Amino acid sequence: MASITPHASAAAPAHSQWSSRMGFILAATGSAVGLGNIWKFPYMVGQSGGAAFVLVYLVCIAMIGLPILVAEWLLGRRGQENPINTMAGLAAANRKSRHWALVGVSGVAAAFLILSFYSVIGGWALAYIADAAGGSFGGLDSDAAGALFNGLLASPATLLAWHSAFTLFTVAVVAMGVSGGIERASKLLMPALGVLLLVMVGYGMTTAGFGSAVDYLFNPDWSKLDGAVVLAALGHAFFTLSLGMGIMMAYGSYLGQEVNLLRSARTVVIFDTVFALTAGLAIFPVVFANGLDPASGPGLIFVTLPLAFGNLAGGQILGVMFFLLLTFAALTSAISLLEPLVALTEERTPLGRVAATAVAGLATWALGIAALLSFNVWSDVLFFGLNVFDLLDKLTSKFLLPLTGLGAIVFVAWCLERNSVRNELGLGALGFGVWNVVARYVAPAGVLVVFVSSL
Ligand code: PHE
């Protein structure tokens, strides 16, 4: 991470630090805002029936996601090491079982599994840059938009080419250690993505579907709510905030004592949530105006947005820009997913940085091939009724991430010395009382209840 200036401060003798609070917030936001917000959130809303999911998701973000984000940063800042060593070291220092290191291990495993299918979707975004540039969106109707997307899914060779390209970009950035430049670029490019999403919301307002979309997103039909919907919302809260992967823990390890964790977490969470809701407002008007199925799944934005661009003055150039920026947002997240794998490989093997990045990248690339084949030739290869892509997605979001996050918050709330945590969070008696209730009971119980009830 090049934005971390390697000056050895008194607080962290052996470990470099973020050059500024701003750099830290940017990196954390860059990791959080990605395909999860723009690609995954809308289609999950659609599959779960709308506003009831959205509201449960918002509650999960506030009551579970935010405290766990703070917990991961706090652990990282204390441990000053990679997630596995951090957990092992803190457990030893607090005379707890060394098995707490498993929290770090499962986080790194989750990052590996997620990156494999994440770069397949990053590849879709790349493919759509080319399609938009080639004018494929002009005058599309909904059938043609569907056909364009299904054509992509049906071709393993095309999917492989774009998946490989996306993996290669990610590997190149991480291997060269130029992610600092990427973070600086994101100061400009992420707001640009936000503006383009707003343009699409503006377009949505001109369609007949806008009223239905607002209603669908914010007016809950509670009969749509069941255990599966709640688990999906919880899992997505982890995914979208990059929790339960040791990523935020690693970022915390570069954090100076002066940074206020709660305030920083609030900032990141607000950015992340605004991006997701805006994406929803951009996509669902198009869905309803064109009579598309909101529950159609992972292809949702790749069918709806081309329709919108095809009907918009300047849609060709806007389309290119949009998918370019989406790819960039995906890249900043993918970098954060690859980093922990590389750090671990570098530390535990004799490999140098470039070789370690190549090995880690190659491994996720290979698993990604299994994921992309599940859209075509392996669509019948099922494990527990799921194809490889769904299996990787569900196994991580609904299983590994919540459990790892649970481990992080339970450790902070129950195993660390209370006063030190209170000082570190800079809370008064009342504030800390609230923190304690949430961190000790509400968040862990929330994860457990959702989890157990879904088994
Ligand atoms: N949070 C990212 C997103 O919403 C995805 C991600 C998950 C990134 C896990 C890093 C780690 O797109």
Side-chain angles (χ1 to χ4, degrees):
M1 263 171 270
S3 73
I4 299 162
T5 48
H7 66 247
S9 77
H15 208 69
S16 54
Q17 297 230 333
W18 299 105
S19 48
S20 66
R21 174 171 179 270
M22 178 77 176
F24 164 66
I25 298 268
L26 266 177
T29 309
S31 172
V33 176
L35 294 170
N37 307 65
I38 292 159
W39 158 72
K40 198 171 182 199
F41 176 74
Y43 91 73
M44 291 195 70
V45 172
Q47 284 185 329
S48 306
F53 172 90
V54 176
L55 294 182
V56 174
Y57 164 79
L58 292 176
V59 171
C60 288
I61 290 277
M63 302 301 290
I64 299 175
L66 191 134
I68 290 182
L69 180 56
V70 170
E72 287 202 18
W73 284 344
L74 190 147
L75 288 171
R77 182 156 74 179
R78 291 217 176 167
Q80 293 281 313
E81 280 217 59
N82 71 53
I84 298 175
N85 293 0
T86 282
M87 289 307 295
L90 290 177
N94 290 276
R95 282 191 241 102
K96 301 289 182 228
S97 158
R98 61 193 166 80
H99 290 116
W100 280 104
L102 282 176
V103 170
V105 175
S106 79
V108 176
F112 171 70
L113 298 176
I114 289 179
L115 184 56
S116 70
F117 73 84
Y118 203 81
S119 57
V120 173
I121 312 299
W124 295 0
L126 278 175
Y128 268 58
I129 300 174
D131 282 339
S136 304
F137 299 166
L140 279 186
D141 61 13
S142 48
D143 287 342
L148 182 69
F149 180 67
N150 288 331
L152 174 66
L153 287 195
S155 166
T158 315
L159 289 176
L160 178 63
W162 293 117
H163 162 61
S164 308
F166 188 86
T167 305
L168 214 62
F169 284 144
T170 310
V171 165
V173 171
V174 173
M176 298 187 302
V178 295
S179 55
I182 299 274
E183 272 146 29
R184 278 191 296 280
S186 72
K187 251 188 239 182
L188 194 71
L189 297 180
M190 298 300 267
L193 178 62
V195 169
L196 262 185
L197 272 177
L198 287 176
V199 170
M200 301 317 288
V201 176
Y203 168 75
M205 287 176 171
T206 69
T207 69
F210 193 71
S212 322
V214 172
D215 198 53
Y216 186 74
L217 280 170
F218 299 111
N219 186 10
D221 169 358
W222 294 113
S223 71
K224 297 267 169 61
L225 197 65
D226 59 19
V229 168
V230 179
L231 180 63
L234 179 76
H236 190 60
F238 281 93
F239 185 88
T240 193
L241 292 176
S242 306
L243 296 177
M245 259 152 297
I247 289 177
M248 291 302 183
M249 228 187 264
Y251 281 10
S253 76
Y254 300 107
L255 208 50
Q257 284 304 325
E258 74 289 353
V259 172
N260 182 313
L261 299 181
L262 284 163
R263 275 220 318 264
S264 308
R266 193 183 56 195
T267 307
V268 173
V269 164
I270 288 176
F271 274 126
D272 190 77
T273 307
V274 167
F275 264 95
L277 294 177
T278 311
L281 277 174
I283 281 148
F284 283 105
V286 184
V287 171
F288 293 119
N290 292 282
L292 296 168
D293 175 13
S296 63
L300 192 63
I301 71 160
F302 292 94
V303 176
T304 51
L305 289 178
L307 264 178
F309 290 123
N311 286 303
L312 209 60
Q316 184 168 358
I317 179 84
L318 287 179
V320 173
M321 278 168 56
F322 180 85
F323 285 105
L324 206 61
L325 291 169
L326 180 63
T327 304
F328 180 81
L331 191 65
T332 57
S333 298
I335 293 166
S336 76
L337 279 163
L338 186 55
E339 271 288 346
L341 299 175
V342 171
L344 191 73
T345 313
E346 217 180 336
E347 223 176 82
R348 305 271 161 116
T349 67
L351 300 177
R353 177 157 187 100
V354 173
T357 313
V359 168
L362 206 64
T364 64
W365 175 78
L367 188 57
I369 295 178
L372 70 84
L373 289 177
S374 63
F375 291 104
N376 36 69
V377 290
W378 283 0
S379 59
D380 293 333
V381 179
L382 303 182
F383 303 87
F384 311 106
L386 300 169
N387 65 31
V388 176
F389 179 86
D390 287 335
L391 184 72
L392 290 169
D393 176 22
K394 304 267 156 20
L395 177 69
T396 49
S397 283
K398 296 189 173 171
F399 199 78
L400 283 176
L401 306 187
L403 281 186
T404 309
L406 179 69
I409 191 120
V410 164
F411 189 84
V412 168
W414 294 94
C415 299
L416 293 179
E417 204 264 314
R418 282 168 76 129
N419 276 327
S420 71
V421 173
R422 174 174 163 182
N423 289 338
E424 188 155 357
L425 295 180
L427 288 171
L430 181 65
F432 191 62
V434 174
W435 162 265
N436 252 329
V437 172
V438 171
R440 294 194 140 200
Y441 305 103
V442 177
V447 175
L448 274 180
V449 167
V450 174
F451 200 71
V452 171
S453 65
S454 73
L455 287 182

